[in-house]
Amino acid sequence: DVKVTQSSRYLVKRTGEKVFLECVQDMDHENMFWYRQDPGLGLRLIYFSYDVKMKEKGDIPEGYSVSREKKERFSLILESASTNQTSMYLCASSLGSGTGYQETQYFGPGTRLLVL
Amino acid sequence: DAKTTQPTSMDCAEGRAANLPCNHSTISGNEYVYWYRQIHSQGPQYIIHGLKNNETNEMASLIITEDRKSSTLILPHATLRDTAVYYCIVRMVSGGYQKVTFGIGTKLQVIP
């Protein structure tokens, strides 16, 4: 089974703090994704990575950065947390190139971040 | 990606089959139908996907109509732990990666 883990289930931070959210997958997947999920807004893509040290902006990258130094690990960084970044953050991974049309994404359990 | 339409909510008695419908009338020939579910405060869980043939795995069955304009997810023996929001999406991926976008989904309540 594919396993995607996230470093914390719940996190409380103060405005202006630097926040690190870690995601690890154990299936040697090439692609990794960071989303945030908010009521009424659904799932929105922040960043994704298709290879080590490679990253691409998603739909809402402002205020975030990412790091992928190793294939299995994809980190989301909030450089200076703000209250509008309070959200549920979801990491996902998928197998990658050579899989043809189907690209199933597997999600982690989520990190619920509260910024005060 | 083609849009999907699902009922907002459904109830199902525990132990009975839960049949969740999805309309995707604008689906194109190389788009897959995917189903995910999300239990409250957890990450989305992949259930099943298919192109045009019916599919079955340990979690569920997926029935796709011959014209591919609609599909039904079947949970054969619903349990209380199947209470969740179920999302039907259609996706075509070329080049290896594409974002997942969920609609409102169907909130399934399994009743004891």
Side-chain angles (χ1 to χ4, degrees), chain A residues 11-57:
Chain A
L11 211 50
V12 180
K13 296 292 181 180
R14 296 203 176 277
T15 302
E17 279 193 78
K18 191 169 186 176
V19 182
F20 293 87
L21 303 181
E22 300 277 319
C23 175
V24 177
Q25 48 90 9
D26 66 356
M27 286 302 292
D28 203 34
H29 282 179
E30 292 186 358
N31 301 331
M32 296 188 75
F33 307 79
W34 274 108
Y35 295 87
R36 62 178 284 179
Q37 187 177 32
D38 301 285
L41 296 176
L43 213 56
R44 292 181 291 169
L45 180 64
I46 305 171
Y47 267 97
F48 65 95
S49 168
Y50 52 90
D51 201 353
V52 175
K53 297 192 185 294
M54 305 301 287
K55 59 186 179 185
E56 292 284 342
K57 292 180 180 180

Side-chain angles (χ1 to χ4, degrees), chain B residues 21-69:
Chain B
C22 180
N23 286 321
H24 30 79
S25 58
T26 59
I27 193 170
S28 62
N30 53 5
E31 285 184 310
Y32 282 75
V33 180
Y34 274 79
W35 283 84
Y36 285 83
R37 73 180 182 184
Q38 191 167 21
I39 296 169
H40 182 63
S41 294
Q42 296 184 25
Q45 179 186 22
Y46 163 76
I47 302 173
I48 200 167
H49 74 281
L51 184 61
K52 52 185 175 182
N53 297 322
N54 297 337
E55 302 287 343
T56 296
N57 63 20
E58 65 279 1
M59 288 183 69
S61 295
L62 174 61
I63 309 298
I64 303 174
T65 58
E66 195 168 338
D67 63 8
R68 301 207 329 121
K69 292 185 177 182

Side-chain angles (χ1 to χ4, degrees), chain A residues 31 35 37 59 102-103 105, chain B residues 36 38 49 96 98-100:
Chain A
N31 301 331
Y35 295 87
Q37 187 177 32
D59 297 323
Q102 51 178 308
E103 258 291 306
Q105 289 188 22
Chain B
Y36 285 83
Q38 191 167 21
H49 74 281
Q98 193 179 70
K99 66 183 177 185
V100 167

